[in-house]
Amino acid sequence: MADAQHLNDPAGDAAAPVTDARRRHDPDVRGFASDNYAGAHPEILAALAVANGGHQSAYGADDYTEHLQTVVRSHFGRRAEAFPVFNGTGANVVALQALTDRWGAVICAESAHIHVDECGAPERVGGLKLLTVPTEDGKLTPELIDRQAFGWDDEHRAMPQVVSLAQNTELGTLYTVEEIRALCDHAHERGMYVHLDGARIANAAAALDVPMRAFTNAAGVDIVSFGGTKNGMLFGEAVIVLNPDAVRHMKHLRKLSMQLASKMRFISVQLEALLAGDLWLRNARHSNAMAQRLAEGVRQVPGVEISYPVQANAVFARLPNEVSERLQKRYRFYFWDEAAGEVRWMCSFDTTEQDVDGFLAALREEMGR
Amino acid sequence: MADAQHLNDPAGDAAAPVTDARRRHDPDVRGFASDNYAGAHPEILAALAVANGGHQSAYGADDYTEHLQTVVRSHFGRRAEAFPVFNGTGANVVALQALTDRWGAVICAESAHIHVDECGAPERVGGLKLLTVPTEDGKLTPELIDRQAFGWDDEHRAMPQVVSLAQNTELGTLYTVEEIRALCDHAHERGMYVHLDGARIANAAAALDVPMRAFTNAAGVDIVSFGGTKNGMLFGEAVIVLNPDAVRHMKHLRKLSMQLASKMRFISVQLEALLAGDLWLRNARHSNAMAQRLAEGVRQVPGVEISYPVQANAVFARLPNEVSERLQKRYRFYFWDEAAGEVRWMCSFDTTEQDVDGFLAALREEMGR
Amino acid sequence: MADAQHLNDPAGDAAAPVTDARRRHDPDVRGFASDNYAGAHPEILAALAVANGGHQSAYGADDYTEHLQTVVRSHFGRRAEAFPVFNGTGANVVALQALTDRWGAVICAESAHIHVDECGAPERVGGLKLLTVPTEDGKLTPELIDRQAFGWDDEHRAMPQVVSLAQNTELGTLYTVEEIRALCDHAHERGMYVHLDGARIANAAAALDVPMRAFTNAAGVDIVSFGGTKNGMLFGEAVIVLNPDAVRHMKHLRKLSMQLASKMRFISVQLEALLAGDLWLRNARHSNAMAQRLAEGVRQVPGVEISYPVQANAVFARLPNEVSERLQKRYRFYFWDEAAGEVRWMCSFDTTEQDVDGFLAALREEMGR
Amino acid sequence: MADAQHLNDPAGDAAAPVTDARRRHDPDVRGFASDNYAGAHPEILAALAVANGGHQSAYGADDYTEHLQTVVRSHFGRRAEAFPVFNGTGANVVALQALTDRWGAVICAESAHIHVDECGAPERVGGLKLLTVPTEDGKLTPELIDRQAFGWDDEHRAMPQVVSLAQNTELGTLYTVEEIRALCDHAHERGMYVHLDGARIANAAAALDVPMRAFTNAAGVDIVSFGGTKNGMLFGEAVIVLNPDAVRHMKHLRKLSMQLASKMRFISVQLEALLAGDLWLRNARHSNAMAQRLAEGVRQVPGVEISYPVQANAVFARLPNEVSERLQKRYRFYFWDEAAGEVRWMCSFDTTEQDVDGFLAALREEMGR
C-alpha cells in the first residue's frame, strides 16, 4: 500500500512534501485593510513543524502547552497562567465570563470591539450586559467609568463587575502605564475586576517601549486577552489570567465556550515562537514603524487629515470619499466612518517600506486629480 | 534594522526558517489514546505554506475559502456550502442552532458527543434542549427516534426539530446508507431536519467504501459537521450545509458562536489539501486498516473481548483493569467504562504497522503475567 | 371533617371568608414613589371572584382567556392576539425574542427600561443585543434610529431587527400618533419590526385622548407589551401581537421564558375588567389628572423646576437635594438623578386630590425652611 | 368627577364592588385533570383584600413580604429565607441557577418536571445541563445518582453540582424522610447541593404526616421550590433558601430571571394565608383524602389497574383507551402514556366526595359497556 509507506514517514523531512492544495493568490500583494489580512510569519510556520510528529496528549495536556506557562510567566509574572484559545472573540468572552456572575455587567467604551464587532457574542454566549460610555479617543477614564459604576445593590440593574479596556484601543490610541494603573485602582476600589483586550498588546508594548507586564500585572490588570493572530500567528490567542484569585475552573469555561483546541500543541508552539524570543516585539515594532512612516507621509499630503494620534500600527484619516474610493481600487482598506469621510489604514508585520511608499504615491496621485 | 530585512522576505523560501520554539517531544512515540493525539499530516503543513504570504481578505472573503466551495461541492453536491470553523463542538453547535428555533429540541443518542462531551455547550451557547434515547451501539433507529418525537404542539415540551446522528458513531459503529436514508425519511416526515456529526466522516466513507455523498446529501441529511482535525488536519472543521432551505444567515451564526477565523484561508487550504485529492481517503483507510489489524491481533489474545463491531478506526475491548493499567504505562489509551473493564484503542492516520504489532506484543505480555 | 364542609363551599359566598393573613399596613397612606406602590383597584379584585370557583383548563385554555381575545380585538383590531404574562420584563423579553433571530439586535433609547431596569434580562434570557442611542427626552426619532440602523450584512455586527419604543416614555413624555407612524414607517422600510413598551399605555391614550389603536396597530406597531399592573391590576401584563406575520409559536416562547401562568384565567379576567369597560381609561385619566394638579402646584413653588413636559402621570422636578431628603421623610418618592438634584413624583390610580394638596403643602413648607 | 369619588374608597368595603368582567363558566363543574384547574381558595382571595389599599413599597420591600420571612422560618427553620416568584418553572430555574456555576449540571430523574415539562427553560434561561437517570417510580436513589455523579475534573463534562428531586414526585410517589436524608448526605459528600421541587410539598407533608422541615432543612436540602398555586393559591410560589451559604445575590437572580413581582405584597400575603395557619395542611390533606377515596373506588372496578402507589393527590391508572376517551367526554383528565393506556387523575383542594363518587360511577358505567 503506497500510502502506508508515506504515512510511516510522518515528519516528511526527506523532501518538501507535496500537497493537493494550490496557490491561488499573489504573495506579493499587500494592502492596508487589516493586520488580519497578513499571513503567518515564517518563524511561526517553522514552529508548527517543530511541534508536529508523534503523539501528544490532546486538549492542553501536552509538552508545548506546559512549557508555554514558563514563557508566559517570564512576561506576565509568576502568577500568570495562559489558556490558549482560537480567536479574539473567544478570548474576550471566556475572560469576561470568568470575572462575572450571572448578574454581572461589563463597563467598556462605546467603541470597544466587544460591543461593536462581535455580533453580540458576549451577550448571547455569556449572557453578559455591556454598559458602554462614549469616549473621545477610545480610552476610558475613571470619570467615564463612574458614569456606569453605580447601583451594585440595585437588583434592577446589571451589577458592574468588570471594567474592560483595550490596549491599544480600537482607534489606535494608547493608555500610559499610569493611566491603566489609575483605572485598575479605581475599578478595584469599587469591587470590580479589570480585563484588558490585548488583541494588539504587542504593538502597545512596542510603542510605549515597556515590557507588557508594565501595563498589565504590574498595573493591576486581572486578566488579559492576549492577541497572537494580528501579530503574525496563523491563528490563536490566549486568555492570560494574572490574578488567579479572580477566576475558577477556567478549563471548563473555555470548553463550554467552544474554545478548546484538541491539538492544542499547535497553538501553544506558535505562542512560544512568538514570545520565547523577540518575534512578538520585532513584528510589533515593525508594524508600528510602518504606521509612523505612513503617517509622516500622509501629513505631507494637503487635504488629508489624521484623526487620532498615531501611536501603534493604525492610521485613521479623513479625506474626500471619492478619493478613498478610487484609492481602494488600488489598495485594500476600509472606511471607518463613511459619513465622516474617515478611513482606517492598518500596517502589519509584513508591510514593507515599499508598500508604504507606493501607497503614499497613490494617495498623492488620487488627491491630485 | 535587522528585522526589516527579514520581514521583507516573508515567504522565507531561501532557507529553512528558524524559530525560537524548541522541540519538546519524541516524534516517534505514538499511542492509541485518540486520533486527536496525532499531529498534522505533512501534506497539510505544506498546504499552509502554499496559502501563506501576501494579503488575503480576512473572515472568509479569501481565494482559498472561495475555492473550497468547489471542492466541497464535488463531494457533497452542487447545493452544498461549507462554513469553516475551529473545532467540532463549534461545528455541532453552529449546525444545530441553524436548524432550530428558540424553542427547538434535538433528538440524539444518549452516547452522542453533543450530549456527553461538550460540557453543555449546546445548552449554554445555543439554548438547545437535547432529548436523548438509550441505544445499544450508539445508533439511532426510527423506533428510537419515536420515543422522543412527539408533542410538537405542546408548549410545555421543547419542540423536536432536529435528529442528530453521528457517522461513524462514538462507539466506532456505522450506519449503512439505507439506515441513514430511513432515518432521514422518518425525520422529514415528522417535520424535523437531520444533522450528521461527521467528526470521523472520512473513516465512515472509507469503511463503507462509498462516497461521502452517499450517506449525506443523497440520503437526505440536511447539514453535516465535517471533521478535519481527527483525520490529519492541524485544526479546523466545517459546517457543510446540504439543504440551504433549512438555514439562514449562517455567517452571523458562526460569528456569534465565536467560530469565525480571521485568517480563514488557513483552515480552508487545509480542507482543500484534504479533499481536493484523496488525502482524506488515504488517511481514513489507513487508520481503519490499522484498527482492523489491531482487532485481528486482539482476537488472538485469550481473555480480551472486543465490545462492538470494529467498523472504523476504534477498537473497544474488555479486559482485566489491572492489565489495562499496566499496559497504560507503556502505551497511552483511555478507559471507556472503567466499571465494566472497557477500554478504547484508537488508531490514527499516522499509526504504523509496527505500532500495532508492538502494542499487541505488549498486550499479550501483560495478559500473560 | 370540618374542612371538608368548608371545602364543599368553594365560592364562599355565604359570608365574608376569613383568612389567617393579617393587615400590616395603613391603607390610607399613599406616596409618590411609583404607580407600582398602589394596590389593586376594587373592580379588579371583584373580577377575581367572578372567575373563581369550579375548574377551568390551565395554561390559557380557559373561557376567560378565550374571551379576552374579543376584548383585546375591540381595542387593537381584528388581527390582534393577547398572550397574558406575569410582568413587564417578561412581556418585553417575550415580545423582543418573538421579533428577532439569534443574531438580532434591538435599537432603543439609552433611557429605555429594557436597557436600564431589567438586570440584563433581555441579554441573559433572550441573548438579545441592545443598540442604544442617547435622547433628550426619552423619545426616538428616525434620525436617532439611523445612528444604529446599519450593517445588516455585516456578520460582525448584531443585526438590527427591531426598534423598541416606550409610550409613554420612562421620562413621562409622549410620542404623537404621527411620530410613531413615522418611526414605524422608517423601521419597516429598513426591514425592522417595531415593539412598543406599553407599561403605561393607558396613560398615553388618556393623555393623547385617542384610542390605543391610534398609536399602535393603526400606526404600524407590530407588537405591544401591554401594561396592566401599573394601571390598577394586581399583577399581569400581556404581549399583544398586532402583526401575526411577524411572529411564530408565541406560546412556546412564553413558556420557555417562564411567563406561562397555570391559572391564567386570573390574569385574563383582570385584563377583561380593565378593558371591557372603561376602567383602563378612568384609572389612567385619573392618575394623569393628579399629575397635572401636582405639576400646576409645583410650578407655583419658587426654586422647584419641572424637568420634562408633564404629559402622563409622572412629574420630574429639580430642587435642592436637602429639601428632597426632608420631604422623603414625609412622602415616599425616588431620586431620579441625585447628582442633578432631580426627583420623580408618580401619581397612580388611587392618588387623591388630598394626597396631592398635602404633598404640595409639604413641599412648600420644606422649600421655605 | 365620578371616578374620583370611587377612587377615594379603594378598599371598597361598603358594598360588593362591581366589575365589567363577566362570569363565563360554571363554578360547580370540576374534573380530575390537574390541581391547576382549580381556582383559588376563598381564604386566599380574602387575603388579597387584606393586603390591598394604600401604598406599599414595590418589589418586595413591603410589610407582607417582610412578615412572610417569620412565617416561613416557623416552618423551615431560622436560616430560611423566602423569595416569592410567579410560577413553578421560575422557582425551579432561579433555584437551580443559584446553586450552579456556568459549567454546572443538575442530576435529576428522567421524569422530572424540570426535564420534561418546562420547554427547556432550565437550558435556555439558565444555560443548565440536565443529567437524567431513568427511575421506576420517579424517585432517585444514591445508586441512581452515581450513574451521573462523576467526572468533576473533566472539562469535557458538565460538572454535576446539584441533585434535584421532587417531593412528591411527578408520579405521585413519596420519598421517606430517611430516603431524602440519605440522598442529601450522598450529594453533599460529593460536593453537590440538593434542590427539592416542592410543587406539591404540602401534599407530601400531609401524606407523611410530618412537618415540611422534616424532609427539607432537617434532612439536608439546600433549597426548595415551594409550591402554592396547586394548593389553593391564585398564583405564586417561592424559592426558599434553606442553606444561605449555598447562594448569593438571590434578588438579582430572581430579577434577571423575570420572576420579580412589582406588587409583591399580593404573593406574600397569599403565602401568609396559606402558611400562617393550617390552610396549607387542610387543603393538602383534603386533596390527598380525595385521591385515597378515588383509589379505593377504582380498586373495586375490574379491568382498571392502579400504576403507582397512591401516596399524595394523584392516581395513575391503566384501563382501555376507548373507555378513557368516553370518560373524558364526561370528566376532564389527561392521558399520561397513551401507548400504555395510562391516565392520570388528580384531586385538588376543592374536589368533593360527590365529585369522586360521581366519577367512580361514570367509570364503572363506561367500563361496563
Side-chain angles (χ1 to χ4, degrees), chain C residues 170-293:
Chain C
E170 295 79 0
L171 300 177
T173 54
L174 281 171
Y175 292 93
T176 65
V177 169
E178 292 68 32
E179 284 171 338
I180 291 187
R181 189 176 294 122
L183 287 177
C184 291
D185 288 349
H186 195 80
H188 291 160
E189 284 161 14
R190 282 149 189 79
M192 299 186 291
Y193 290 116
V194 178
H195 164 250
L196 186 143
D197 180 350
R200 296 186 180 94
I201 189 173
N203 293 93
L208 292 172
D209 203 24
V210 298
M212 292 186 284
R213 78 170 60 85
F215 56 87
T216 55
N217 51 309
V221 170
D222 296 288
I223 204 163
V224 167
S225 297
F226 177 88
T229 313
K230 290 183 166 72
N231 199 27
M233 278 173 59
L234 195 83
F235 78 105
E237 321 272 306
V239 177
I240 302 184
V241 175
L242 303 177
N243 174 6
D245 298 334
V247 304
R248 285 177 311 125
H249 289 289
M250 288 297 294
K251 289 185 179 178
H252 280 81
L253 203 45
R254 177 176 56 183
K255 168 69 185 177
L256 72 89
S257 301
M258 318 198 305
Q259 291 289 314
L260 178 61
S262 54
K263 298 180 177 176
M264 197 185 292
R265 54 168 142 167
F266 293 120
I267 304 183
S268 297
V269 80
Q270 290 183 74
L271 289 164
E272 180 186 341
L274 202 66
L275 290 169
D278 66 350
L279 180 59
W280 69 279
L281 188 59
R282 274 185 281 137
N283 282 354
R285 279 187 177 153
H286 180 77
S287 56
N288 285 357
M290 292 301 101
Q292 286 303 334
R293 186 182 187 96

Side-chain angles (χ1 to χ4, degrees), chain C residues 106-107 140 145 161-165 183 187 192-196:
Chain C
V106 176
I107 298 176
L140 293 171
I145 287 174
Q161 297 190 309
V162 181
V163 171
S164 176
L165 53 98
L183 287 177
M192 299 186 291
Y193 290 116
V194 178
H195 164 250
L196 186 143

Side-chain angles (χ1 to χ4, degrees), chain A residues 262-294:
Chain A
S262 54
K263 299 181 177 176
M264 197 185 292
R265 56 168 142 167
F266 293 120
I267 304 184
S268 297
V269 79
Q270 289 182 74
L271 289 164
E272 180 186 339
L274 202 67
L275 289 170
D278 67 350
L279 179 60
W280 69 279
L281 189 58
R282 273 186 281 139
N283 282 355
R285 279 186 177 154
H286 180 77
S287 57
N288 284 358
M290 292 302 100
Q292 285 303 336
R293 185 183 188 96
L294 175 59

Side-chain angles (χ1 to χ4, degrees), chain B residues 2 16-17 36 118 146 181-182 186 195 208 214 249 287 305 343:
Chain B
N36 277 330
E118 291 177 354
D146 283 347
R181 188 176 295 121
H186 195 79
H195 165 251
L208 292 172
H249 288 289
S287 56
E305 190 193 350
V343 300

Side-chain angles (χ1 to χ4, degrees), chain B residues 12-59:
Chain B
D13 293 327
V18 293
T19 172
D20 283 304
R22 294 286 166 265
R23 174 157 282 178
R24 299 174 195 287
H25 74 298
D26 181 345
D28 290 329
V29 171
R30 285 174 294 274
F32 294 86
S34 173
D35 29 15
N36 277 330
Y37 277 44
H41 192 280
E43 297 180 35
I44 292 291
L45 275 194
L48 294 176
V50 163
N52 202 21
H55 280 203
Q56 281 272 286
S57 292
Y59 302 116

Side-chain angles (χ1 to χ4, degrees), chain D residues 73-101:
Chain D
R73 285 180 186 134
S74 73
H75 287 280
F76 292 100
R78 62 178 180 76
R79 302 178 80 206
E81 189 175 6
F83 297 87
V85 297
F86 290 118
N87 67 354
T89 306
N92 287 334
V93 175
V94 169
L96 294 174
Q97 285 180 96
L99 299 180
T100 50
D101 291 301

Side-chain angles (χ1 to χ4, degrees), chain A residues 93 97 100-102 121-128, chain C residues 124, chain D residues 102:
Chain A
V93 175
Q97 286 180 96
T100 49
D101 290 302
R102 294 181 192 275
E123 289 86 354
R124 303 186 213 282
V125 173
L128 296 163
Chain C
R124 304 187 212 281
Chain D
R102 293 181 191 277

Side-chain angles (χ1 to χ4, degrees), chain A residues 288-318:
Chain A
N288 284 358
M290 292 302 100
Q292 285 303 336
R293 185 183 188 96
L294 175 59
E296 281 163 33
V298 167
R299 284 190 195 99
Q300 314 304 321
V301 186
V304 186
E305 189 193 350
I306 291 183
S307 317
Y308 300 104
V310 176
Q311 299 182 306
N313 62 326
V315 178
F316 290 80
R318 298 187 182 218

